[in-house]
Each structure stands twice: as C-alpha cells, then as structure tokens.
Amino acid sequence: MIVKYTKILFGIAAIAAISLVSCQPSTTSTSKKSQDKRVTDLISQMSTEEKVGQMTQITLSALYTDGQLDLEKLRYGIVTKNIGSILNVNGLPLSITEWHQLLTQIQDIATQETSLKIPILYGIDAIHGTTYTQGSTLFPHNIGMGATRNTDLVGQSAKITALETRASGIRWNFDPALGIARQPLWSRFEEMYGEATALSIAMGSAAIKAYEEDGLDQITAVASCMKHYLGYSVPLSGKDRTPAYIPEAQLREIFLPPFIAAVNSGTSTVMINSGEINGVPVHASKYYLTDLLRGELGFEGLAVTDWEDIIRLNYRHHVAPTNKEAVKIAINAGIDMSMVPQDYSFYDDLVALVDEGEVPMSRIDEAVYRIMKLKFDLGLFDNPYPEKAAIANFGKESYQEVALTAALESITLLKNENGTLPLDTTAKVLLMGPGANNLGALHGSWSYTWQGQDENQFADETLTLKEALEAKIGVANVICNTTGNFDDSENTNIAFLNSHAAKSDVIMLVIGEKSYAESPGGIHDLNLADNQIQLAKAAYATGKPVVLLIAEGRPRVISSIVDGADAIMQLYRPASQGAAATMEILFGDYNPNGRLPYSYPRHAGDIILYDRKHTEEVTEFVPDSYGGGGYNPQWEFGHGLSYTTFSYGEIKLDKSEYTTTDKIQVSVEVTNTGNRAGKNSIDLFVSDHYASLTPSFKVLKGFTKENFEAGESKMIRFELDSDDLSFINSEGEKTIEAGEFSVRIGDKISTFRLK
C-alpha cells in the first residue's frame, strides 16, 4: 500500500517551465494578504526612480575615497540614486562608537536630504557572532555548533549576536546558513551545521527564533536571513559558486526542509544561492524564486541576492547577453533587492526596463513593499539611528561564558589510545604546528575581517593555543617555536622538533587549515598539506606520545597519520574561547562530548555519507564478490569519545505495528558506566527496509543531549510520526509506504511495521 499526500509538482516539466525572461507579474502570498497601509501609502508617493533605488544595495567600500567615507559619494548614492540599503565594512572592524558615527551620517542624509525621508537598511554577515565590530563575541562556526547537538546553545549564541549587532546600530543579519555540508571540498563547509538535514532544521530554526522572537523593533533583535536558497552547498566541482546537480527527490528531501522550517520559524529575509541547480542559475529561476519560495513555502519576506549575482548572470552564467538583460531576468524571476554592490548599473538598467515596459510596475511594487515592510517592522521609520540603550548589551562578561560552553561542547575527541588524555599539568609539552600560535585558524571566516586572517584585529584577551597552554601549565613547561603566521615554515621545522623532543613528555601538534572565506578558500585536494603530514610522522619517530589538535573548517584527509597518533581532537573553528576550552579538555577539567556532524573521510576520493544507499555499502573490487565496507570513513557521523563510557539498553517501542496516524513512542535506557560525570549526545536514526525509491541506509530523525553522573541511568524518550517515515518519490510526491522500519540508537536496533 502506498499513502501519498502533500503532492509537490517538481518534475522535468516543472524544470522546463522555468521562465528566464517572463515579464508577467508574479502572484505570491504577499499580494493575497491584507497589506500594511503605512507601506502602501508610502509606495503610492514614490517615483519609479525612488522605488528602484530601494531595491539597490551598495557595499560601503564603494562610498569611500582613500580610506575615508566620501560624503559626496554617499550623498550621490542616497539622494541621487535613492539607494535603500548598504552592507559590509571598509576592510577593518569598527568600534561601537565608529559604527554609531557612520550610521548616523548615513541616516542623516537619508532622512534629512531626501523628499520621502526613507531610512537606510544596513546589513552585515554576523554568522558566528558579531563580526566587523571591535571587541565583539565570536562563537564556534556552525559546523562546530552542529557537533554540540545543543539547540539551546545555538539559540543563546544567536541571541547574543543579535544583542551585539543591534548595539552597533545594525538591524539586519545575513544568517543562518542552511545548506547541508555534503561536499567537503567546498570552502563554506564551516558555515553549515553538518551533513544531516535534521541538524540544519533544528539548529537553523533555533537561531532564527533567537534573532527575531523579541520583535524586530526591539533592541534585542535583528532581522534574520535564511541562506543560501537553494542547493548552494553541494557544488559538483567543490569550488564556491559553481553548479550543483541535484535530483529532484534529493532537493526536496535533503536540501529544502531547512528552508521550510526557517519560514515556519518566522525568518524575515532570504539570500539566494549564487550558483546553479541542474544548469539553471537560481537568481534566474521564476520557479525557485516565486513558484516554490512564495507559492509553495508561503514566504512573504525580502529576497536579496548575494554579491554581484545579477550581473554574473551575464558574464559568468551566460544566460543573459547583457547586464540589462540579466537585471530583467532576475527581477521578473522574483528578486527584490540586488546586492549590486559596487556601482549603479543595476539601478540604471532597471529604471530603463520599467520605462520600456520590460519589467512591470506590479513586480517593482511587490519588491518595494517587502523592503519597506521590513524597514517599518525594524522600527527604522520611528528611529533610524543607532539606539543608545542598546550599547549596554554589548560585550558582557556572561557572553564569554556562553562562547566557552559552546566551544567545550563542540570540540570532539576522535581518538584516545591507552588513556593518553587527559594530560597531567606537570607534563612538559613540545608544541608545534601552523595552528599553534595562530588565531585565524581557531576562528575561520567572518572573524572581524572577511577572511579572518588579520591577527591584529582580534581582541587582546583572545588566546592562541600556545598562550593558553602556557597559562595552563606554565611557560617553563612549554617548548614552542611557532609564529603567528600560519604559513611560516618554522612552524613545521622538523629539525627543531628532533632537537627538542627528548626534553618533552608529550608532543602536541596543531594541524589543519588557516582561515579563509568563500572562494579564496578553494582547494584542489582534500588531503592535509604535506608539510604537516611529514611533521606528524617525524613526531611519531621520536617515540614520544603525540597528540594531534585539528583546527579546520572542513575535514581534511589525515589517514596516513591517524594510526601513529596517541590522541586526536577535532577543534573545528572554536573561536574566541576555543583555546581555553581546548586546555580544559586536554587536562581533564572538562569531559569532552562533541559528536561529528559529518562523516570524516578516510580517502579524498571516497566521500560516502551517513545516509548512503544500500548499494554504497557494497564493494566489488573482485567481480561478483560483494563485500561490505563501502561506507568506510575515518570516523563515522556521530563519532565522539568521552573520558567516561556509556551503554545503551534495548530500544523500547510502545507498539510493534503502527498506522500513519499514530505517534511512535521510542525509549531507551542510557547509562554512564564510567567513573566520572559527562554529557552524552543521543542520535536517533530511522531506516526504511524497502521502498519504491531506494531507501537510505539510515536517516537522522532526532537527537538530544543529557548530562549523566557517574553510574547514572536515564530513560531517553523520542516521539516519531508518519512524516519521519516519509520520502520524496520519483514523481516528486511526499510518500509513505507500508512495510518494515527500524529505529537505531547507539548500538541498538528495534524494528516495527507500518500498516
């Protein structure tokens, strides 16, 4: 029996129907609902030029001359070109005072020198804490937050980010990133919550609610931005802003649900995928931007492009022969605001297109309505200036405690042979590796600067691992030659290692990646850099115990050095309190409990994910010999060690047979069988035994995290429903099929039947 519901049309015909040049006005949920009279009254007073200006977003650096804000350029942009939005910063982070001065200058011109006095909407990429602001709090990147399995921590971090961002005077945050981290070559991997859809749904929704739940006009909130809609995170080449090829069932089953959840959680804005899906640039797709996003998901908020993405329809994607044609395609498809961002070509072209009748005024009014509505909701028309009362919410000591907790719960112990960890504080440590004295490697992208590589911009109290280790065990017990330059060859000087190894009790190597953001972080090879591999091998040859600390934004392949290490700890990008958190774990003050949010690959060319198909479980290197081991990562999704141990009782179900209307009650007793307290993350997976479309081996459907005292047992409970047993079939329909299913928790499996 097949039960079908929520029919979704997304087949070949739907792709073929994507309109790249349609001039027809879109019909969306916005036009069907009662509109805000404040907004409609304002729009009725606006000229074409004023409307198009509101759809234009310019980067701040375009308004600078010789490193200084050029008031004539600013005045030209706001008064002459009517721009409605500005983003970014001119290179270096600003103090709260400098932000207030800058935004006051901007709003003075907007509200005093224009006829309609429309305030500017300012946006920023505060994606793991408030960036571009001196002294702000930075939290672990999303990939580390996925390892915490703690949605409360995600919410707390987002709330603090909202407080500090609003304190700077900015009310629009381009976060959270809701892609699924399934292409480890991709340079934005660290911005995702992990390879499981369920992680992105839960974590992203928690962030959105924390950003917006107090009300956008309050000094404790910012407008969130779900991004990058849709399918951005799996470019086939692994390079940023390049094409993805995603079967329709995968698109709807894996990549779309976090955006559905984001809409249901109340996100105000969306940023669009810079790449293509199956040859269709998302910025050019009326299907993705209007039919699916507006019509099906019911999203009513503002849709903004990413950097220069409309122009790139011409010179990168080659679907538009001119920039003007690119503007026509994108706006008719459903874009509301163009992050142009360096010039006024978008403005000039769109004004001309409206005058020529190539873009209908109804489409312009629809876009401007969404922009004006957001400005009203944010309270900009009541007070466009930075709110003085918000300053008190910046830089509180308690924020560092949340950052420390987030780093502690994210860091994942991957290997610990013979109880190498925790270390004794009397140990003498030889510390080497390019990340040992480098702050950028601990923070990653969007860390005070875009690339996060400027070591001078981090707060004075931010510690490198070297400084944190010296503070923990004393300078005299640390032997280290590393510099703040990640690429300095001295950091991997084997001669130094060999000459000092005998003086140490343990060798600690900090390996991984330097900081990077977006395309500059592109790589051709997932293997860790050879100089770091050789350093590790030389360390093993000394006969001393070796601990590897990995600071990286994506899982670089280290299979050639895993066996020789006595302990391995994955730090991800733990940020401002990452060094302190690492020391607490290394020396046993804190019991590690992070769990991998992705499958850590063993080989660069062998990327198989936790929810693989059953055929991926098979190896057939000898013809007609069907051996197992197809899913053979270095460490499985969900792997993470502790300084204690946990055991799982048999999984208990309230029934053995269910109907599609039943709730499925799942319980399992978990026991801390070790001699110290610790937190344990419990992942629940569902497996469909047989289906009309090949089922996944297992799919994450729930997770929770609990603290256990030594010897303590707890009954952990989950509830599933029919939606957790559904899949998208080959006809684009959400489907449930009768048959056998399994629930997996820890090393236990329980089977039931769906009638």
Side-chain angles (χ1 to χ4, degrees):
M1 181 183 80
I2 298 178
V3 180
K4 298 180 180 179
Y5 63 99
T6 317
K7 186 164 184 176
I8 299 169
L9 297 177
F10 185 59
I12 300 301
I15 296 175
I18 292 172
S19 171
L20 297 182
V21 295
S22 171
C23 296
Q24 297 303 310
S26 60
T27 301
T28 72
S29 54
T30 300
S31 62
K32 294 176 184 176
K33 300 212 172 182
S34 59
Q35 294 192 325
D36 190 322
K37 191 173 185 300
R38 300 170 302 172
V39 181
T40 56
D41 286 349
L42 180 58
I43 292 175
S44 70
Q45 302 173 53
M46 297 172 70
S47 67
T48 297
E49 289 77 11
E50 288 169 323
K51 293 176 181 178
V52 170
Q54 289 300 310
M55 298 169 67
T56 304
Q57 186 180 62
I58 297 296
T59 186
L60 183 66
S61 61
L63 307 173
Y64 271 60
T65 299
D66 298 328
Q68 299 294 321
L69 180 65
D70 188 325
L71 291 180
E72 289 309 307
K73 284 185 177 180
L74 180 62
R75 188 168 285 109
Y76 178 78
I78 296 175
V79 178
T80 304
K81 293 298 188 181
N82 307 288
I83 62 171
S85 185
I86 299 173
L87 80 153
N88 249 344
V89 71
N90 189 44
L92 297 178
L94 304 180
S95 66
I96 289 290
T97 299
E98 289 170 327
W99 269 121
H100 281 222
Q101 291 171 344
L102 170 67
L103 293 170
T104 297
Q105 288 178 300
I106 289 170
Q107 301 294 14
D108 277 346
I109 294 174
T111 60
Q112 298 174 22
E113 300 184 31
T114 64
S115 60
L116 295 178
K117 307 184 185 308
I118 300 173
I120 294 294
L121 174 61
Y122 209 102
I124 208 80
D125 286 278
I127 67 170
H128 66 122
T130 299
T131 192
Y132 294 148
T133 302
Q134 294 172 10
S136 63
T137 310
L138 295 182
F139 301 93
H141 256 295
N142 284 349
I143 199 65
M145 297 305 289
T148 69
R149 301 294 202 273
N150 190 332
T151 55
D152 289 341
L153 268 178
V154 172
Q156 290 175 48
S157 300
K159 180 68 74 178
I160 292 167
T161 300
L163 291 167
E164 294 200 322
T165 301
R166 189 79 176 223
S168 72
I170 298 170
R171 306 188 192 188
W172 186 14
N173 183 17
F174 305 138
D175 188 67
L178 300 178
I180 311 298
R182 301 169 78 87
Q183 168 49 288
L185 283 171
W186 189 46
S187 55
R188 303 194 75 166
F189 192 96
E190 64 189 25
E191 299 178 43
M192 308 300 115
Y193 289 109
E195 75 182 47
T197 301
L199 284 176
S200 190
I201 290 173
M203 303 298 190
S205 296
I208 288 165
K209 290 173 183 175
Y211 284 139
E212 301 206 19
E213 64 189 352
D214 293 345
L216 295 184
D217 59 344
Q218 300 299 303
I219 63 173
T220 56
V222 292
S224 66
C225 184
M226 59 179 182
K227 67 181 188 183
H228 299 80
Y229 174 85
L230 176 67
Y232 184 37
S233 61
V234 285
L236 183 63
S237 71
K239 305 302 189 296
D240 193 30
R241 297 173 179 251
T242 60
Y245 298 90
I246 308 174
E248 60 189 67
Q250 274 197 10
L251 191 78
R252 287 191 171 272
E253 194 164 300
I254 296 173
F255 299 97
L256 187 61
F259 292 95
I260 296 173
V263 173
N264 293 337
S265 297
T267 191
S268 293
T269 69
V270 60
M271 186 178 290
I272 308 305
N273 170 11
S274 299
E276 308 169 8
I277 301 176
N278 304 330
V280 179
V282 182
H283 284 83
S285 170
K286 183 176 181 293
Y287 174 76
Y288 290 126
L289 298 180
T290 299
D291 300 345
L292 182 58
L293 178 63
R294 306 293 184 181
E296 193 174 311
L297 272 62
F299 179 65
E300 298 182 3
L302 164 62
V304 63
T305 76
D306 206 336
W307 189 272
E308 205 179 71
D309 280 335
I310 290 181
I311 296 172
R312 292 178 183 185
L313 294 177
N314 164 236
Y315 78 88
R316 282 197 177 181
H317 297 283
H318 290 259
V319 298
T322 64
N323 287 344
K324 185 177 179 181
E325 185 69 14
V327 172
K328 173 185 169 182
I329 290 170
I331 299 305
N332 283 327
I335 293 295
D336 298 322
M337 180 182 286
S338 174
M339 190 185 292
V340 185
Q342 308 262 21
D343 58 37
Y344 300 98
S345 58
F346 168 83
Y347 172 91
D348 294 336
D349 286 338
L350 186 51
V351 168
L353 286 163
V354 174
D355 290 343
E356 295 162 7
E358 294 296 309
V359 174
M361 186 57 74
S362 59
R363 175 75 270 277
I364 300 299
D365 286 346
E366 181 182 64
V368 176
Y369 179 90
R370 292 170 184 150
I371 297 166
M372 295 298 101
K373 180 69 164 62
L374 181 60
K375 290 187 178 186
F376 274 108
D377 288 347
L378 285 166
L380 285 167
F381 282 95
D382 297 321
N383 174 23
Y385 295 98
E387 298 136 315
K388 300 299 183 185
I391 298 175
N393 292 329
F394 188 86
K396 292 183 178 180
E397 188 174 338
S398 60
Y399 300 169
Q400 298 299 328
E401 295 173 10
V402 176
L404 176 62
T405 301
L408 286 168
E409 292 203 22
S410 68
I411 292 170
T412 305
L413 182 59
L414 300 176
K415 182 180 180 181
N416 191 23
E417 292 294 306
N418 302 317
T420 298
L421 299 181
L423 299 173
D424 194 288
T425 54
T426 62
K428 201 171 195 66
V429 178
L430 171 57
L431 176 67
M432 292 189 68
N437 202 21
N438 181 270
L439 290 171
L442 296 180
H443 287 76
S445 58
W446 310 105
S447 296
Y448 302 114
T449 58
W450 176 41
Q451 292 295 307
Q453 294 179 4
D454 191 338
E455 296 288 298
N456 295 319
Q457 301 308 320
F458 294 93
D460 291 340
E461 59 270 21
T462 308
L463 300 178
T464 66
L465 289 167
K466 175 180 180 290
E467 292 166 337
L469 181 61
E470 290 173 340
K472 186 69 177 177
I473 64 174
V475 175
N477 284 328
V478 180
I479 305 167
C480 185
N481 69 326
T482 58
T483 70
N485 178 3
F486 189 95
D487 296 319
D488 191 339
S489 60
E490 192 62 22
N491 299 329
T492 54
N493 187 333
I494 292 175
F496 181 88
L497 181 145
N498 287 333
S499 63
H500 291 84
K503 307 171 190 174
S504 68
D505 298 311
V506 62
I507 298 174
M508 191 178 297
L509 304 181
V510 188
I511 59 175
E513 301 182 302
K514 67 180 178 182
S515 181
Y516 52 77
E518 301 188 54
S519 295
I523 55 175
H524 299 291
D525 186 355
L526 197 58
N527 288 289
L528 188 68
D530 187 62
N531 62 333
Q532 298 184 54
I533 296 292
Q534 296 308 316
L535 179 68
K537 290 181 177 179
Y540 302 156
T542 67
K544 295 287 184 176
V546 178
V547 177
L548 302 181
L549 306 179
I550 316 174
E552 59 186 1
R554 57 197 156 198
R556 302 300 291 266
V557 171
I558 58 170
S559 54
S560 64
I561 58 173
V562 167
D563 289 347
D566 295 277
I568 303 175
M569 194 184 297
Q570 172 64 290
L571 308 183
Y572 311 100
R573 302 292 201 191
S576 57
Q577 295 297 308
T582 301
M583 295 308 135
E584 287 200 27
I585 294 172
L586 283 173
F587 291 93
D589 301 314
Y590 186 84
N591 193 352
N593 51 71
R595 294 293 185 91
L596 280 177
Y598 51 75
S599 303
Y600 201 115
R602 187 183 300 272
H603 306 292
D606 194 19
I607 309 301
I608 299 177
L609 305 171
Y610 89 100
D611 56 350
R612 69 274 188 191
K613 299 295 185 178
H614 288 270
T615 49
E616 293 177 292
E617 283 285 286
V618 174
T619 56
E620 193 181 356
F621 297 141
V622 176
D624 299 324
S625 174
Y626 304 106
Y631 178 63
N632 186 32
Q634 193 72 60
W635 295 283
E636 293 190 9
F637 174 91
H639 175 76
L641 303 176
S642 169
Y643 293 151
T644 189
T645 54
F646 295 93
S647 67
Y648 295 80
E650 296 302 321
I651 299 171
K652 297 179 181 179
L653 303 172
D654 60 325
K655 297 181 186 180
S656 60
E657 195 168 74
Y658 299 89
T659 69
T660 57
T661 60
D662 288 335
K663 300 292 186 182
I664 303 169
Q665 305 300 327
V666 183
S667 61
V668 63
E669 187 175 63
V670 180
T671 302
N672 180 350
T673 54
N675 57 11
R676 65 176 292 176
K679 292 184 177 180
N680 186 29
S681 295
I682 299 102
D683 290 344
L684 178 147
F685 302 92
V686 170
S687 301
D688 188 349
H689 290 195
Y690 295 92
S692 56
L693 195 69
T694 58
S696 296
F697 184 81
K698 63 180 181 179
V699 179
L700 182 70
K701 292 296 182 179
F703 58 89
T704 188
K705 192 171 195 175
E706 294 284 343
N707 187 65
F708 293 79
E709 297 299 323
E712 183 180 12
S713 296
K714 289 185 179 182
M715 188 64 72
I716 306 299
R717 304 181 192 279
F718 295 94
E719 182 177 88
L720 303 173
D721 59 27
S722 59
D723 196 54
D724 293 306
L725 312 181
S726 68
F727 65 96
I728 304 297
N729 68 14
S730 57
E731 296 175 349
E733 296 169 328
K734 200 170 192 178
T735 304
I736 304 174
E737 296 179 354
E740 286 194 326
F741 293 80
S742 291
V743 175
R744 300 166 183 258
I745 301 175
D747 59 349
K748 298 297 192 292
I749 300 175
S750 186
T751 300
F752 64 90
R753 184 167 184 81
L754 183 71
K755 293 192 291 186

